[in-house]
Amino acid sequence: MTHTLIIHSSARKTGSVTRDLSRTLAETLGGTVTERDLADGIALIDEPWIGANFAGDAATDADHARLAGSEELVAELEAADTIVIGLPIYNFSVPAALKAWVDQVARARRTFRYTETGPEGLLTGKKAYLVVASGGVPVDSPVDFATPYMRHLLGFIGISDVTVIGADAAMVRGDAARAEAEAAIAALAPAKAA
Protein backbone atom coordinates (compact mmCIF):
# COMPACT_ATOMS: atom_id res chain seq x y z
CA MET A 1 0.00 0.00 0.00
CA THR A 2 1.37 3.40 -0.93
CA HIS A 3 1.72 6.30 1.46
CA THR A 4 1.15 9.85 0.20
CA LEU A 5 2.28 12.98 2.02
CA ILE A 6 0.38 16.16 1.13
CA ILE A 7 2.11 19.46 1.85
CA HIS A 8 -0.46 22.27 1.95
CA SER A 9 1.14 25.69 1.57
CA SER A 10 -1.84 27.89 0.76
CA ALA A 11 -2.62 30.51 3.38
CA ARG A 12 -6.30 29.95 2.54
CA LYS A 13 -8.01 27.24 4.59
CA THR A 14 -11.23 27.44 2.58
CA GLY A 15 -11.66 28.00 -1.12
CA SER A 16 -8.09 26.96 -1.90
CA VAL A 17 -7.67 25.40 -5.33
CA THR A 18 -4.40 23.69 -4.38
CA ARG A 19 -5.89 22.18 -1.21
CA ASP A 20 -8.88 20.78 -3.10
CA LEU A 21 -6.86 19.45 -6.01
CA SER A 22 -4.14 17.98 -3.78
CA ARG A 23 -6.71 16.00 -1.80
CA THR A 24 -8.40 14.86 -5.00
CA LEU A 25 -5.04 13.71 -6.36
CA ALA A 26 -4.22 11.78 -3.17
CA GLU A 27 -7.64 10.08 -3.27
CA THR A 28 -7.11 9.20 -6.92
CA LEU A 29 -3.71 7.65 -6.23
CA GLY A 30 -5.07 5.59 -3.32
CA GLY A 31 -3.27 4.32 -0.23
CA THR A 32 -2.78 6.07 3.07
CA VAL A 33 -2.48 9.85 3.30
CA THR A 34 -0.72 12.18 5.74
CA GLU A 35 -1.38 15.91 5.48
CA ARG A 36 0.99 18.64 6.66
CA ASP A 37 -0.63 22.07 6.75
CA LEU A 38 2.03 24.77 6.68
CA ALA A 39 -0.62 27.45 7.31
CA ASP A 40 -0.80 26.10 10.86
CA GLY A 41 2.68 27.52 11.40
CA ILE A 42 6.24 26.48 10.72
CA ALA A 43 9.39 27.69 12.40
CA LEU A 44 11.90 29.81 10.56
CA ILE A 45 15.53 28.80 10.80
CA ASP A 46 17.77 31.10 12.81
CA GLU A 47 21.39 31.24 13.97
CA PRO A 48 20.98 28.73 16.84
CA TRP A 49 19.19 26.33 14.47
CA ILE A 50 22.01 26.60 11.93
CA GLY A 51 24.56 25.95 14.67
CA ALA A 52 22.63 22.89 15.81
CA ASN A 53 22.34 21.62 12.25
CA PHE A 54 26.11 21.72 11.76
CA ALA A 55 27.08 20.52 15.26
CA GLY A 56 27.49 16.91 14.09
CA ASP A 57 28.88 14.59 16.78
CA ALA A 58 29.25 17.57 19.14
CA ALA A 59 25.45 18.17 19.18
CA THR A 60 24.02 18.83 22.63
CA ASP A 61 20.56 17.99 23.94
CA ALA A 62 19.63 21.61 23.21
CA ASP A 63 20.81 21.18 19.60
CA HIS A 64 18.68 18.07 19.19
CA ALA A 65 15.70 19.94 20.64
CA ARG A 66 16.21 22.80 18.15
CA LEU A 67 16.15 20.32 15.27
CA ALA A 68 13.18 18.26 16.51
CA GLY A 69 10.67 20.02 14.24
CA SER A 70 12.94 19.60 11.25
CA GLU A 71 13.43 15.93 12.08
CA GLU A 72 9.66 15.44 12.16
CA LEU A 73 9.29 17.04 8.71
CA VAL A 74 12.14 14.98 7.25
CA ALA A 75 10.68 11.80 8.76
CA GLU A 76 7.38 12.55 6.98
CA LEU A 77 9.23 12.75 3.68
CA GLU A 78 11.16 9.55 4.40
CA ALA A 79 7.96 7.65 5.25
CA ALA A 80 6.14 8.70 2.07
CA ASP A 81 6.27 6.98 -1.30
CA THR A 82 4.56 9.94 -2.96
CA ILE A 83 4.70 13.62 -2.11
CA VAL A 84 1.97 16.01 -3.25
CA ILE A 85 2.82 19.69 -2.80
CA GLY A 86 0.03 22.22 -3.12
CA LEU A 87 1.81 25.16 -4.72
CA PRO A 88 -0.10 28.41 -5.10
CA ILE A 89 2.02 31.02 -6.83
CA TYR A 90 2.28 34.09 -4.61
CA ASN A 91 3.92 37.11 -6.21
CA PHE A 92 5.63 34.94 -8.84
CA SER A 93 7.14 32.54 -6.28
CA VAL A 94 6.38 30.13 -3.44
CA PRO A 95 4.42 31.07 -0.30
CA ALA A 96 6.64 32.06 2.62
CA ALA A 97 5.50 29.03 4.63
CA LEU A 98 6.65 26.70 1.85
CA LYS A 99 10.07 28.38 1.76
CA ALA A 100 10.28 27.88 5.54
CA TRP A 101 9.47 24.17 5.02
CA VAL A 102 12.20 23.93 2.37
CA ASP A 103 14.71 25.43 4.81
CA GLN A 104 13.69 22.84 7.43
CA VAL A 105 14.01 19.80 5.13
CA ALA A 106 16.95 20.64 2.83
CA ARG A 107 19.71 19.66 5.25
CA ALA A 108 23.29 18.71 4.46
CA ARG A 109 24.11 15.16 5.61
CA ARG A 110 20.41 14.54 6.28
CA THR A 111 18.53 14.89 2.98
CA PHE A 112 21.51 15.59 0.73
CA ARG A 113 25.27 15.33 0.85
CA TYR A 114 28.18 16.82 -1.00
CA THR A 115 30.45 14.46 -2.90
CA GLU A 116 33.51 14.89 -5.10
CA THR A 117 31.19 14.93 -8.12
CA GLY A 118 28.68 17.36 -6.64
CA PRO A 119 25.60 17.21 -4.42
CA GLU A 120 23.69 13.95 -4.03
CA GLY A 121 20.08 13.77 -2.85
CA LEU A 122 19.34 11.16 -0.21
CA LEU A 123 15.53 10.91 -0.53
CA THR A 124 15.53 8.70 -3.62
CA GLY A 125 12.87 6.35 -4.97
CA LYS A 126 9.95 8.72 -4.44
CA LYS A 127 7.41 10.33 -6.76
CA ALA A 128 6.35 13.95 -6.37
CA TYR A 129 3.49 16.01 -7.77
CA LEU A 130 3.39 19.79 -7.78
CA VAL A 131 -0.23 20.97 -7.83
CA VAL A 132 0.21 24.54 -9.04
CA ALA A 133 -2.46 27.25 -9.00
CA SER A 134 -2.14 30.89 -9.98
CA GLY A 135 -4.30 33.82 -10.88
CA GLY A 136 -2.27 35.11 -13.80
CA VAL A 137 1.10 33.36 -14.01
CA PRO A 138 1.31 30.48 -16.51
CA VAL A 139 3.24 27.44 -15.23
CA ASP A 140 6.87 27.40 -16.40
CA SER A 141 6.55 30.83 -17.99
CA PRO A 142 9.46 33.28 -17.65
CA VAL A 143 7.72 34.83 -14.63
CA ASP A 144 6.99 31.54 -12.83
CA PHE A 145 9.77 31.29 -10.25
CA ALA A 146 7.83 28.84 -8.07
CA THR A 147 7.54 25.72 -10.24
CA PRO A 148 11.16 25.55 -11.44
CA TYR A 149 12.38 26.30 -7.91
CA MET A 150 10.39 23.45 -6.36
CA ARG A 151 11.32 21.06 -9.18
CA HIS A 152 15.00 21.89 -8.60
CA LEU A 153 14.74 21.64 -4.82
CA LEU A 154 13.06 18.24 -4.98
CA GLY A 155 15.73 16.96 -7.37
CA PHE A 156 18.42 18.34 -5.08
CA ILE A 157 17.18 16.21 -2.17
CA GLY A 158 16.83 13.15 -4.42
CA ILE A 159 13.25 13.33 -5.72
CA SER A 160 13.71 13.64 -9.46
CA ASP A 161 10.43 12.08 -10.62
CA VAL A 162 8.24 15.21 -10.52
CA THR A 163 4.94 15.76 -12.33
CA VAL A 164 3.35 19.19 -12.51
CA ILE A 165 -0.43 19.54 -12.51
CA GLY A 166 -1.39 23.11 -13.27
CA ALA A 167 -4.51 25.11 -12.60
CA ASP A 168 -2.70 28.22 -13.68
CA ALA A 169 -3.67 31.64 -14.99
CA ALA A 170 -7.17 31.12 -13.60
CA MET A 171 -7.98 34.83 -13.66
CA VAL A 172 -7.43 34.69 -17.42
CA ARG A 173 -8.61 31.18 -18.28
CA GLY A 174 -11.48 30.94 -15.81
CA ASP A 175 -12.96 27.52 -15.05
CA ALA A 176 -10.86 25.93 -17.81
CA ALA A 177 -7.75 26.16 -15.60
CA ARG A 178 -9.24 23.99 -12.85
CA ALA A 179 -10.99 21.69 -15.32
CA GLU A 180 -7.66 20.92 -17.02
CA ALA A 181 -6.06 20.10 -13.67
CA GLU A 182 -8.99 17.86 -12.72
CA ALA A 183 -8.72 16.03 -16.06
CA ALA A 184 -4.98 15.52 -15.54
CA ILE A 185 -5.69 14.04 -12.10
CA ALA A 186 -8.47 11.79 -13.41
CA ALA A 187 -6.08 10.42 -16.03
CA LEU A 188 -3.84 9.17 -13.20
CA ALA A 189 -6.54 6.90 -11.77
CA PRO A 190 -5.47 3.25 -11.67
CA ALA A 191 -7.22 1.07 -14.22
CA LYS A 192 -10.15 -0.81 -12.65
CA ALA A 193 -10.20 -4.58 -12.99
CA ALA A 194 -13.04 -5.80 -15.18
Side-chain angles (χ1 to χ4, degrees):
M1 179 178 265
T2 63
H3 178 198
T4 298
L5 170 64
I6 302 176
I7 304 295
H8 295 293
S9 67
S10 175
R12 296 172 62 188
K13 293 279 193 169
T14 58
S16 167
V17 172
T18 60
R19 286 176 187 274
D20 292 346
L21 291 175
S22 294
R23 287 184 178 120
T24 299
L25 173 58
E27 290 170 10
T28 299
L29 296 174
T32 61
V33 176
T34 299
E35 296 186 49
R36 169 63 68 170
D37 193 340
L38 302 182
D40 290 339
I42 184 164
L44 301 178
I45 65 171
D46 56 14
E47 186 172 6
W49 187 99
I50 292 170
N53 188 46
F54 288 104
D57 292 338
T60 65
D61 288 344
D63 291 331
H64 291 297
R66 281 187 185 94
L67 297 176
S70 173
E71 285 296 328
E72 182 178 346
L73 298 173
V74 171
E76 288 175 349
L77 284 170
E78 290 173 331
D81 305 299
T82 304
I83 295 95
V84 174
I85 299 177
L87 178 57
I89 297 178
Y90 288 1
N91 300 313
F92 311 104
S93 189
V94 300
L98 185 56
K99 177 58 169 76
W101 177 84
V102 166
D103 289 343
Q104 292 284 346
V105 301
R107 290 177 50 200
R109 298 180 313 279
R110 188 67 179 86
T111 58
F112 70 92
R113 66 181 172 196
Y114 291 110
T115 71
E116 291 179 4
T117 59
E120 175 186 8
L122 302 177
L123 298 178
T124 59
K126 299 178 185 302
K127 170 72 179 165
Y129 294 89
L130 298 176
V131 179
V132 183
S134 74
V137 175
V139 167
D140 284 328
S141 69
V143 294
D144 172 11
F145 301 102
T147 309
Y149 170 72
M150 288 305 300
R151 195 183 286 121
H152 177 80
L153 176 278
L154 289 167
F156 186 76
I157 62 175
I159 305 168
S160 57
D161 185 359
V162 180
T163 297
V164 176
I165 296 173
D168 52 327
M171 298 290 281
V172 176
R173 300 186 319 124
D175 293 339
R178 186 170 181 145
E180 286 177 18
E182 289 170 344
I185 291 169
L188 296 170
K192 303 286 186 206

